[in-house]
Amino acid sequence: MGHIKPGFVVLVTLIFLSIIAYIYDFSLMPVTLPLSWFNNANQTKLYNAVSEGLSGKINVWKFLTKQTIETSTTEKKPTVSIRTEDISIHQYLAHPRNYHFILDEPDKCKQDPFLVLMVPVAPHQLEARNAIRSTWGNESSVQGKAVLTLFLVGLTGGAEAQQQLEEESRQRRDLLQSNFVDSYFNLTIKTMVIMDWLATRCPQAAYAMKVDSDMYINLENLMSLLLSPNTPGQNYITGHLMWAQFVIRDKNSKWYVPEELYPEPKYPTYVLGMGYVFSNDLPPKILEASEAIKPFNIEDAYVGACLKRLGINPSGAPDPSQFRTYVNDPKSTDLSKLITAIAGSPEKVIEFWQNVKGHK
Ligand SMILES: *[C@@H]1O[C@H](CO)[C@@H](O)[C@H](O)[C@H]1NC(C)=O
Ligand SMILES: *[C@@H]1O[C@H](CO)[C@@H](O)[C@H](O)[C@H]1NC(C)=O
Ligand SMILES: *[C@@H]1O[C@H](CO)[C@@H](O)[C@H](O)[C@H]1NC(C)=O
């Protein structure tokens, strides 16, 4: 009976192909929006759609680890499809010299912070800022070292939103605003503006961290890492390392980068954008390197490209498991041992925080 009928082989092949088609269609292909929509889109709505519909990190991470995507397998939420034409239109200039601060806090660093946490956030995400302000962003001193948390936004959608933002800035004194169009696509500009602020307004800080607005951060553990005698004070960057990641050439992907912008097939080792910590001698060096590197829309990989040019390798953390992405079950995970975890929403940021504080 060692003979397999050709009909059976065809059937098995067809089933296999349908499975592939099913997975591909439902988990990897974002809904394509027409080019005109992308160009004319109200930026606030665009940002809402992208940041709320599909959290970038969820998909990058799941995509890279080839796990099934529970959140997006069943629902087709809008995301932006950036085509080659769009990228050419938006050959944007990431170097901060092209932008200036509308809201600034030039004297903040007179407090001589040891660590500055820089949070890129969309102008309308007040709830995210407030969750951080009431949790890890409210810590001004950790293990006797001064810590500062600031938010960076781009341009708002309109005059009313701008007024609200300025009022918030007067009350909180923790907002920085630069005059680039705030969008998911422009995150590389945001990161470079963060580097600019650190280099020009806060050179005295010892360390800085770029941290996303939906993150839980355990500052005690982060401080222990930074104060460890084994942690370098210069040319140091750490977090969740990404090795040998392929550049995504699928034009329908949110992380599509054309060869025109980044010709090599793989990215250099970089630190995942959710939260990377670095010695504060790096910002001016990264800015200098960025002059020679064509910007592309994947901010963390772009920083990786700048570091490669500088000959600086990202360091693995002494305990890499402390830089967590997703926490599958926050109740059974010991958040008190971590440095980062993706909370995913303002409510969760508060919940994670209270989890840890409650157990003290
Ligand atoms: C853009 O969309 C936001 C959210 O829907 C809305 O508040 C704002 O008024 C819109 N702006 C313009 C210029 O249409
Ligand atoms: C920050 O913490 C202080 C106590 O240390 C508290 O009084 C204040 O209300 C907190 N701020 C926010 C925004 O939660
Ligand atoms: C990115 O920012 C630049 C500068 O403000 C702007 O010209 C461009 O339209 C923005 N691109 C997107 C896709 O938001």
Side-chain angles (χ1 to χ4, degrees), residues 105-146:
E105 294 293 336
D107 297 330
K108 269 284 170 185
C109 283
K110 287 199 173 136
Q111 306 159 16
D112 283 333
F114 176 79
L115 169 67
V116 187
L117 300 151
M118 299 291 278
V119 187
V121 60
H124 70 272
Q125 290 176 315
L126 173 64
E127 236 191 302
R129 291 191 288 276
N130 282 342
I132 292 170
R133 284 168 178 143
S134 67
T135 57
W136 50 266
N138 193 28
E139 301 211 5
S140 53
S141 172
V142 180
Q143 297 184 30
K145 298 285 185 183

Side-chain angles (χ1 to χ4, degrees), residues 225-240:
L225 168 67
L226 297 179
L227 294 177
S228 153
N230 299 323
T231 299
Q234 288 199 321
N235 294 339
Y236 176 72
I237 180 163
T238 193
H240 185 95

Side-chain angles (χ1 to χ4, degrees), residues 322-344:
Q322 285 191 306
F323 285 93
R324 281 285 288 273
T325 52
Y326 282 88
V327 178
N328 295 330
D329 182 6
K331 296 224 159 47
S332 66
T333 307
D334 196 350
L335 293 164
S336 70
K337 301 231 160 53
L338 303 182
I339 291 178
T340 67
I342 297 173

Side-chain angles (χ1 to χ4, degrees), residues 38 43 46 90 92 99 155 179-183 185-186 189:
F38 182 75
Q43 288 295 334
L46 180 67
H90 300 295
Y92 61 70
Y99 308 101
L155 292 173
N179 70 334
F180 60 86
V181 172
D182 198 303
S183 66
F185 188 73
N186 272 346
I189 301 181

